[in-house]
Amino acid sequence: MRCIVWLVVVACSSRPGDPRQPTGSATAALDASIATTPSEGECSELVTHAIDIGVAEQRAQLPPDQVPTQSEQEQLATELRGQFLPACLRGAREAYRCAIASKTLTELAGCQATPSSSTSNSSVAPPGIAPPAPAAP
């Protein structure tokens, strides 16, 4: 279940969107697809989705007695919503769309991949990592 928790953190902690949200009766008519950040309901749905994906993957790999029960899944969902809802509410809508459409935990984690900028040099190793030595002749 640790993997699920980590992925929910990743999915819910994207760059903040525009914090301004319409208020009043206009919000009822606002199409969620044009909002800049996910709603509370969407963030709650994302937690449930991440748990569902994780449990499905565990069912495929683990003995049945090691897969979380429905009660354990509900308890985890309650805990995760309490911990990650605020970050999700500030997250980017595009990251939410990607995460909610994901079919695997790997896809879900990929929804937070930071796009490289045109000025980055991807051929340079990160600090502290030396490139491999050339092969001996």
Side-chain angles (χ1 to χ4, degrees), residues 23 26-27 46 55-56 58 60-61 65 72 89 101-102 107 109 113 122 128 130 133:
T23 57
T27 57
L46 182 56
V55 169
Q58 288 179 341
Q61 298 173 3
D65 64 330
E72 291 170 329
L89 290 170
S102 63
E107 286 178 15
S122 61

Side-chain angles (χ1 to χ4, degrees), residues 110-126:
C111 291
Q112 294 302 302
T114 305
S116 62
S117 81
S118 59
T119 59
S120 67
N121 185 349
S122 61
S123 65
V124 176

Side-chain angles (χ1 to χ4, degrees), residues 33 37 87 126:
S33 67
T37 60

